[in-house]
Amino acid sequence: MKKNNKTTSVWARNEKLALALKLSEEALLAKDKEKKEITLQLAETVKDLSIQIEERERRAAELAEVNKQLAFQIQEKEKKTLELEEVNKELESFSYSVSHDLRTPLRAISGFSEVLIEDYSERLDEEARLYFSEILRNVKKMGDLIDNLLEFSRLSKQDFFRVPVNILGIIHKLVDEQKELEPERKTTVYVKNLPSIKGDKNMLKQLFFNLISNAFKYSSRRIDSVIEIGSYPKGEQQVFYVKDNGAGFDPRYYNKLFGVFQRLHSSNEFEGTGVGLAIVQKIVSKHDGEIWAEGKVGEGACFYVSLPAN
């Protein structure tokens, strides 16, 4: 009996050991499986990280190349800007010198022509007198051209004083002066309420003189000529405009409007030197503003000037 009890006890203990061993093996297998899954996940993560690192390195290389090209472009732009400034200074100096040098022979041509007409008018036939009149007319035109060229050159050297400017007062005075030049002409001029702004008074007066005189000139062939001068706010800017119903211009040649000596109408149609709008653009640029225009042939034009508001 004792022997059987002992045998049963050994068997039960072996069963427990076998069960514990089995559970231990199963736990090891589960951990091994878990390790494999974690290893695979880590491998996948490492692969993704490697791809991301390669992508970042590629982008960094591209960015470095872009920065290199941008730095080169900036350097080239600065170089060209300096060259352009130097060329502009030389051109302005040349224009100023030439303009002064041209005055002396022009005065001589004008003076001798007038003497010939006065002292020898009886000996000159009608055709000769016509020739001399044409000479004097072209001398005057050349003189006006020199004056405008000098004025354009002086703008770069002129001191800039930003003070409060009564634009409405300037406009009314300029309009009255234009009407006095042609008292027989009937032109309707609408002047809206215009705000004061800060700027250089003399430059702004020149700016609006050029725009208003152009409006009067290019609408002179209309019996019902109408000119409108107004303004409206645009962000931190104040936009002034001068509109007329005159000759207008062909939009295809818009890029010539503000160039020096560029004209969209022949001198036979309208007198002028082709410098007025270039002067306007330069004054606007010195005020950190913008200028643009709209127009159609035979339907008039409207010039806009955007200037910093108070």
Side-chain angles (χ1 to χ4, degrees):
M1 182 63 101
K2 289 182 180 180
K3 187 177 180 180
N4 289 336
N5 289 338
K6 187 177 180 180
T7 302
T8 302
S9 177
V10 170
W11 181 82
R13 187 176 61 183
N14 288 340
E15 284 289 326
K16 289 180 180 179
L17 288 172
L19 181 60
L21 182 62
K22 183 178 179 182
L23 291 173
S24 177
E25 289 177 351
E26 289 177 352
L28 288 172
L29 289 172
K31 287 184 178 181
D32 186 55
K33 184 178 180 182
E34 185 178 359
K35 284 182 180 179
K36 287 181 179 179
E37 290 177 354
I38 292 173
T39 301
L40 289 173
Q41 290 176 358
L42 286 173
E44 191 66 27
T45 301
V46 170
K47 183 179 178 181
D48 291 341
L49 285 173
S50 298
I51 294 173
Q52 291 176 14
I53 291 170
E54 289 178 1
E55 182 67 17
R56 287 182 180 179
E57 289 177 347
R58 184 181 66 81
R59 290 182 180 178
E62 291 176 352
L63 184 59
E65 185 63 28
V66 169
N67 286 336
K68 182 180 178 181
Q69 293 177 4
L70 185 60
F72 177 76
Q73 290 174 5
I74 291 172
Q75 186 178 5
E76 284 295 305
K77 187 176 180 180
E78 290 175 348
K79 181 181 176 182
K80 289 180 180 179
T81 301
L82 291 173
E83 291 175 353
L84 183 60
E85 288 176 354
E86 189 63 30
V87 169
N88 284 335
K89 288 179 182 178
E90 291 177 0
L91 181 60
E92 288 168 1
S93 178
F94 173 77
S95 299
Y96 194 80
S97 299
V98 169
S99 298
H100 273 285
D101 293 341
L102 286 175
R103 285 185 177 278
T104 301
L106 272 181
R107 281 196 294 266
I109 294 171
S110 178
F112 283 119
S113 297
E114 289 175 357
V115 168
L116 284 171
I117 292 175
E118 291 176 2
D119 295 351
Y120 298 92
S121 59
E122 295 179 356
R123 302 181 189 182
L124 299 175
D125 58 20
E126 185 178 348
E127 186 176 7
R129 285 193 293 271
L130 182 64
Y131 289 156
F132 275 110
S133 297
E134 191 65 20
I135 289 172
L136 290 172
R137 188 181 71 83
N138 279 280
V139 167
K140 182 182 181 303
K141 182 179 177 181
M142 189 66 178
D144 293 339
L145 188 62
I146 290 172
D147 289 339
N148 288 337
L149 187 59
L150 283 171
E151 186 177 352
F152 183 76
S153 299
R154 277 196 296 264
L155 278 174
S156 299
K157 305 177 180 69
Q158 187 173 335
D159 292 330
F160 184 89
F161 300 99
R162 195 181 291 274
V163 297
V165 181
N166 180 6
I167 300 298
L168 185 60
I170 289 176
I171 297 296
H172 277 303
K173 186 175 181 180
L174 291 173
V175 170
D176 290 341
E177 289 174 355
Q178 288 296 319
K179 287 184 175 181
E180 289 174 3
L181 292 174
E182 301 176 273
E184 73 286 350
R185 178 179 168 184
K186 303 297 181 183
T187 301
T188 303
V189 182
Y190 297 105
V191 179
K192 305 294 183 66
N193 188 26
L194 305 173
S196 297
I197 62 169
K198 285 187 177 180
D200 188 286
K201 185 176 181 179
N202 291 327
M203 289 187 186
L204 291 176
K205 185 177 180 180
Q206 182 66 55
L207 182 155
F208 286 109
F209 169 79
N210 288 7
L211 292 180
I212 292 172
S213 60
N214 273 359
F216 271 86
K217 177 171 66 176
Y218 289 110
S219 63
S220 60
R221 297 188 179 183
R222 291 287 298 263
I223 299 175
D224 58 339
S225 59
V226 178
I227 297 172
E228 180 182 325
I229 305 168
S231 71
Y232 59 88
K234 184 181 179 183
E236 296 182 355
Q237 303 274 317
Q238 188 70 30
V239 179
F240 297 89
Y241 65 86
V242 179
K243 183 179 181 181
D244 67 76
N245 63 342
F249 62 86
D250 191 333
R252 291 179 299 174
Y253 306 111
Y254 178 87
N255 60 332
K256 292 185 176 182
L257 273 178
F258 305 104
V260 180
F261 305 137
Q262 296 289 341
R263 302 200 66 214
L264 301 189
H265 299 277
S266 68
S267 56
N268 293 328
E269 291 181 284
F270 301 99
E271 291 185 357
T273 58
V275 183
L277 287 178
I279 290 174
V280 170
Q281 186 182 49
K282 201 160 192 177
I283 293 173
V284 171
S285 177
K286 290 180 81 71
H287 282 78
D288 299 321
E290 296 180 27
I291 181 170
W292 67 97
E294 298 172 352
K296 290 183 180 180
V297 176
E299 297 183 18
C302 186
F303 285 83
Y304 301 88
V305 172
S306 175
L307 299 171
N310 289 340

